[in-house]
Amino acid sequence: MDMQKLDDYFKTNRQEHLEELKAFLRIPSISSLTEHQKDIQKGAEWLKKSLEKAGLENARIDETPGHPVVYADWLHAEGKPTVLVYGHYDVQPVDPLHLWETPPFDPHVRDNKLYARGASDDKGQTFMHIKAVEALLQLNGELPVNIKFIIEGEEEIGSPNLPLYVEQNQDQLKADVIVISDTGMQGPGRPAVCYGLRGLAGIQIDVKGPKGDLHSGLYGGAVQNPLHAIAEILASFRDKEGVIQVDGFYDDVLPVSDEEREEFAALEFDLEQEKRDLGIEEDFGEKGYSFVERTWIRPTLEVNGITGGFSGEGIKTVLPSEASSKITCRLVPNQDPDDIIAKLRAHVEAHKPAGVTVNITDFDKGKPFLTPYDHPAIQAAGRSYEKVYQVPTAFTRMGGSVPIVAAFDEILGLPVVLMGFGLASENFHAPNEHFHLENFDKGLRVISDYLFEAANLKK
């Protein structure tokens, strides 16, 4: 492929592409709010038309018990690998609305940044893949690989129906590699390929004491206080250095090689700047692990909230009837969410104080994901980034969870390449979400180059 010819194409068509993206961003496809059901459908229909315009075939909208999935393909590269591109067209709610400088669904460009809900997460990044394919078909009449798109409308609510869809359509979704652009770079001008995500296991603990709130003067010291009880349970989960005390919690954690830890150290993470950015005086966690390692390769247990008793202005001398807490654990490769939740249940039961009853409710679950960072598909993405950005690519893990990635890995058994173009500063999920158009421009070229790199991967 003549990359200069491709570069000229993107420059010539840049404004048209941005206007198309703005039209996509004007659709308020908020998946969590039922009043936007028609907008979700409108978003799916817009995507189908965009995929067809790009030259893809078999474009269709597949209904699910929830929001629809959009599929399309181009399968004429005989003997070449197949790339499955995943993205999502749903977006987060926009509250608080008054903090937006311009309306969330009225896209504006300021300082070479495109402001709108979904600009970075994930409409903008998904749109880039469509335009890269369109460019290659326009210029060459063909693609270097076979390609399939699967774009869902429920990612922002946990992809509840996509795993079943993938399982039921395994033959249709057969591929050699999955590519997802829904992650971030290391920083401005610093590309990164993410090859690992932590999983998730969440529970709620409800502690019940007396049948109603009691006067603390009449009953304090004679009746167990559910707030004290839940505090005792929560305190038992970790020691003073953050090491989790749940029996068997670390049993299945896969060790990380010295070579991989050396790669993390080479990223030259600025801990002092991070502390300044976070407004903290010192970091915290397991001894023997860096800040990066604690957030990427070590499992966690965090208390997300506690409720109970009186919290209004002034004081109310009450012994509360009940208290509750929400807990989430981030899991690393080889840990199973169901196994961890079972161990949490056993721990709570073993540390439950006398005088209260405890109920535990399971919440979010997601398995961790890992593709070896030296996998050819991962390294190929690194080369494409380097050609365009002219700097070495970082190979990273992420502390967060994208449950559908693990589902893809488990159901389809394919390497997953997370090649994102967002920046942590872009306010996704917050007011004034935006996408740096420098990364939009360069990302189109990276994605195009990667399709040629992927053509050389072994089937």
Side-chain angles (χ1 to χ4, degrees), residues 52 68 80 125 146 176 202 204 286-287 390 444:
E52 289 173 335
K80 292 296 185 178
Q125 298 199 58
N146 301 294
D176 297 285
Q204 177 170 315
E286 293 179 86
K287 287 185 176 180
Q390 296 292 299
L444 287 166

Side-chain angles (χ1 to χ4, degrees), residues 327-385:
I327 292 170
T328 51
C329 299
R330 297 290 175 169
L331 310 180
V332 296
N334 216 40
Q335 287 187 301
D336 180 77
D338 290 321
D339 175 65
I340 292 299
I341 285 177
K343 288 172 178 174
L344 293 176
R345 286 178 172 274
H347 180 91
V348 172
E349 189 62 33
H351 292 79
K352 177 182 69 176
V356 293
T357 58
V358 176
N359 182 64
I360 297 174
T361 304
D362 297 3
F363 278 113
D364 290 351
K365 297 179 186 177
K367 291 188 176 181
F369 149 79
L370 182 68
T371 293
Y373 81 97
D374 57 355
H375 191 284
I378 297 287
Q379 294 298 314
R383 290 193 296 273
S384 292
Y385 273 119

